[in-house]
């Protein structure tokens, strides 16, 4: 008889199991990290009658982890002094992990760019979902799960994302900055950040399905002019759904919030999240 296969040494078994566990943790961490979505123009300041490359970052404020295909788009809007226009999706380009389009400016003014995506379903086990709530800015739902004993229940979440950016074209300032695009979740500035001095406060209204949301957990951060990371901070909207964001530095800013709600009687999901972000810059 041929000799039997010798047993795998215990050390190798432990090492292999550890490697598999680490791989699983890395995969989960990657899944949970690649959540935010931002519109980031190559520059938030442009000349009239020029072209600006705009990236959609689906991951972090610095790096896109996944691209968004055309069929996931509900709307891509450009608000200029000429009014609101819808971008032809043929101009939406996907290369690797990043989606882009080109803004062609016209007359001077404060332009609003917007993109809205169709819902998708994501299922997570309890531990991962709880970590995601903690990391991505949904402390109220995490607290509710702890309080009512649902902390060990898994999730099936219907999520969709709605992002905006402000681009200042030339030296003309107008009222376009406050245009409401009508997305399921939206951040609307109440002042034009390109007319505010450094150390001013920008007031923004947080809307869900067109209605202001009180006590919404809102986060903000950004990058310095040299792309250094700026610490993220949080604030709550007031009774009128208004959050106050200090413009205490130069560079790019993002503001974001996630409206997370439980669903009942839905065959596909037990949660729905509506994400909103706004990006702009301060010179």
């Amino acid at each position: 008889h041929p000799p039997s296969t010798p047993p795998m040494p215990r050390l190798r078994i432990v090492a292999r199991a550890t490697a598999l566990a680490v791989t699983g943790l890395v995969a989960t961490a990657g899944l949970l990290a690649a959540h935010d979505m931002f519109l980031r123009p190559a520059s938030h300041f442009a000349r009239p009658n020029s072209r600006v490359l705009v990236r959609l970052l689906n991951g972090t404020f610095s790096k896109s982890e996944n691209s968004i295909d055309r069929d996931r788009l509900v709307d891509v809007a450009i608000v200029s002094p000429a009014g609101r226009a819808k971008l032809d999706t043929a101009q939406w380009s996907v290369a690797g992990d990043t989606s882009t389009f080109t803004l062609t400016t016209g007359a001077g003014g404060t332009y609003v760019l917007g993109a809205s995506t169709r819902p998708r379903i994501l299922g997570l086990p309890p531990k991962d979902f709880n970590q995601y709530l903690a990391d991505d800015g949904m402390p109220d739902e995490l607290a509710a799960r702890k309080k009512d004993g649902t902390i060990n229940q898994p999730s099936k979440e219907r999520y969709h994302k709605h992002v905006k950016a402000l681009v200042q074209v030339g030296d003309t300032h107008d009222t376009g900055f406050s245009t409401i695009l009508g997305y399921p979740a939206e951040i609307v500035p109440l002042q034009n950040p390109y007319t505010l001095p450094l150390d001013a406060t920008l007031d923004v209204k947080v809307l869900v399905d067109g209605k202001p949301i009180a006590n919404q957990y809102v986060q903000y951060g950004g990058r310095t002019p040299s792309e250094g990371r700026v610490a993220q901070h949080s604030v709550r909207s007031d009774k009128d759904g208004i959050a106050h964001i200090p413009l205490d530095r130069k560079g790019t800013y993002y503001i974001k919030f996630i409206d997370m709600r439980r669903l009942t009687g839905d065959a596909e999901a037990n949660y729905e999240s509506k994400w909103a972000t706004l990006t702009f810059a301060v010179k």
Side-chain angles (χ1 to χ4, degrees):
H1 298 285
S4 59
T5 303
M8 185 181 292
R10 178 175 177 79
L11 182 60
R12 286 176 60 192
I13 295 174
V14 171
R16 184 180 180 188
T18 301
L20 289 173
V22 170
T23 300
L25 287 173
V26 170
T28 300
L31 172 67
L32 296 178
H35 271 106
D36 283 323
M37 182 181 287
F38 303 98
L39 277 177
R40 286 205 70 181
S43 175
H44 285 273
F45 302 93
R47 298 187 306 274
N49 304 307
S50 66
R51 293 164 65 86
V52 179
L53 180 69
V54 182
R55 294 180 297 158
L56 181 76
L57 300 185
N58 186 28
T60 71
F61 197 59
S62 296
K63 181 181 179 182
S64 188
E65 312 249 344
N66 302 101
S67 58
I68 299 297
D69 292 329
R70 295 171 185 167
D71 61 1
R72 283 197 63 194
L73 298 170
V74 177
D75 180 67
V76 181
I78 298 174
V79 179
S80 71
R84 177 172 177 168
K86 187 168 184 175
L87 184 80
D88 182 350
T89 55
Q91 300 179 49
W92 186 267
S93 176
V94 175
D97 56 17
T98 306
S99 307
T100 63
F101 67 92
T102 298
L103 166 66
T104 302
T105 68
T110 305
Y111 287 44
V112 180
L113 314 180
S116 177
T117 68
R118 302 183 193 280
R120 280 197 169 178
I121 303 290
L122 172 67
L124 288 176
K127 183 178 179 181
D128 291 346
F129 185 63
N130 296 332
Q131 191 64 51
Y132 154 60
L133 293 174
D135 291 346
D136 280 32
M138 293 161 281
D140 296 339
E141 181 53 36
L142 181 59
R145 282 169 63 86
K146 292 177 179 177
K147 184 176 181 180
D148 64 13
T150 58
I151 193 72
N152 293 318
Q153 291 185 4
S155 68
K156 280 194 173 181
E157 174 199 1
R158 179 182 294 110
Y159 67 94
H160 39 120
K161 304 178 183 181
H162 315 281
V163 296
K164 296 167 64 176
L166 302 179
V167 176
Q168 178 58 45
V169 177
D171 298 323
T172 301
H173 302 102
D174 55 28
T175 59
F177 70 90
S178 60
T179 300
I180 297 174
L181 298 181
Y183 293 164
E186 189 167 355
I187 299 171
V188 181
L190 301 184
Q191 302 94 20
N192 188 336
Y194 298 118
T195 65
L196 294 177
L198 193 63
D199 291 325
T201 297
L202 175 67
D203 302 321
V204 298
K205 183 166 285 191
V206 296
L207 303 177
V208 175
D209 297 327
K211 299 178 181 178
I213 302 299
N215 200 42
Q216 174 65 51
Y217 187 79
V218 177
Q219 296 175 293
Y220 61 95
R223 298 291 182 269
T224 67
S226 60
E227 281 298 303
R229 188 182 300 273
V230 174
Q232 183 170 274
H233 298 281
S234 63
V235 66
R236 293 276 183 172
S237 62
D238 64 19
K239 61 181 178 61
D240 298 314
I242 298 172
H244 309 287
I245 310 299
L247 305 182
D248 55 2
R249 59 175 180 81
K250 297 179 180 180
T252 54
Y253 284 73
Y254 66 77
I255 307 170
K256 64 176 185 173
F257 77 89
I258 305 167
D259 178 76
M260 174 72 79
R261 304 195 186 191
R262 299 185 188 187
L263 301 176
T264 56
D266 190 303
E268 291 185 325
N270 58 352
Y271 283 93
E272 182 172 22
S273 63
K274 300 174 183 179
W275 301 55
T277 65
L278 174 70
T279 62
F280 58 93
V282 172
K283 281 186 175 180

